[in-house]
Amino acid sequence: MAPGDFSEPGRGCVTAVSCNEAHSPSKLRRERISLLVGVGVDGDAHSGATVKHRSRVRRDPGRPNLRQVHLIGSEFHEELAATGITVGAGQMGENVTTRGIELLALPRRARLRLGDQAVIEVTGLRNPCTQLDSIHPGLMEATLDRDEEGNLIRKAGIMSVVIAPGEVRPGDAVGVELPDGPRRPLEPV
């Protein structure tokens, strides 16, 4: 796929957008969010060129922010509901909730076009933390699994950076552009 050649619109879509000015495990659902290049979601506590997650700021406040936009598939919310854990869009801290895209299967550096203009680049997996248990007891454990070889699978979504600005709304199409060359699987960022 040539650079800028996004898959057919309609394959995936945005089901909800969320942000929160305060540091909190959950984000508030919005009618729209604005993505800013190199910053993230305008008005979100985690936006900025350098790390904003408190644990990462304590370790090295000058590190680049590879966690500007957090995405989770609504399919994962449905998987959780089947186990008795009910969470809504934004409750796990995601900015963008999607449908129809296998987010966890994307390689590092894959690009997603959200709506008409915004483009984000996938940087890695969200590493779930114990704050999830404040949303629902057992939620953190439910975001972790093991594959056939016993390797840890993290299902709490993916992280990305903004490379083209734009507004994102529920109902917007999501297009996918895979990187050229070898595809590197996602690791926690």
Side-chain angles (χ1 to χ4, degrees):
M1 200 176 286
D5 184 17
F6 288 87
S7 65
E8 288 296 312
R11 179 175 152 219
C13 70
V14 174
T15 60
V17 294
S18 308
C19 78
N20 193 342
E21 294 175 358
H23 281 274
S24 167
S26 297
K27 298 195 183 290
L28 307 171
R29 287 181 73 165
R30 308 288 182 171
E31 291 182 20
R32 65 174 181 76
I33 56 173
S34 294
L35 302 186
L36 306 173
V37 173
V39 174
V41 179
D42 188 27
D44 192 79
H46 296 110
S47 67
T50 57
V51 293
K52 300 301 176 202
H53 288 76
R54 291 177 176 167
S55 62
R56 293 171 181 350
V57 168
R58 281 192 298 275
R59 280 185 256 151
D60 184 356
R63 288 194 66 128
N65 186 3
L66 301 178
R67 301 166 54 107
Q68 294 173 4
V69 182
H70 176 197
L71 297 91
I72 289 181
S74 59
E75 296 87 350
F76 183 57
H77 291 158
E78 293 163 3
E79 179 184 323
L80 290 170
T83 69
I85 298 175
T86 303
V87 294
Q91 275 192 284
M92 292 177 59
E94 75 271 20
N95 302 107
V96 179
T97 310
T98 64
R99 175 167 294 287
I101 302 289
E102 289 187 57
L103 297 173
L104 299 178
L106 293 171
R108 189 167 176 262
R109 294 183 44 243
R111 292 183 175 187
L112 301 176
R113 180 179 301 279
L114 306 173
D116 294 332
Q117 297 177 333
V119 178
I120 58 174
E121 185 171 279
V122 177
T123 56
L125 296 168
R126 176 191 182 185
N127 199 20
C129 68
T130 58
Q131 288 184 17
L132 291 174
D133 287 337
S134 69
I135 298 163
H136 192 286
L139 181 55
M140 166 130 173
E141 184 178 345
T143 66
L144 301 171
D145 204 354
R146 297 269 176 193
D147 65 16
E148 301 81 37
E149 290 86 39
N151 298 310
L152 187 63
I153 300 171
R154 293 167 177 87
K155 302 189 287 185
I158 63 171
M159 308 307 281
S160 63
V161 295
V162 181
I163 60 170
E167 290 193 349
V168 183
R169 295 176 175 82
D172 281 349
V174 178
V176 177
E177 176 190 54
L178 297 175
D180 291 332
R183 300 208 173 123
R184 297 179 15 206
L186 298 179
E187 296 177 1
V189 292

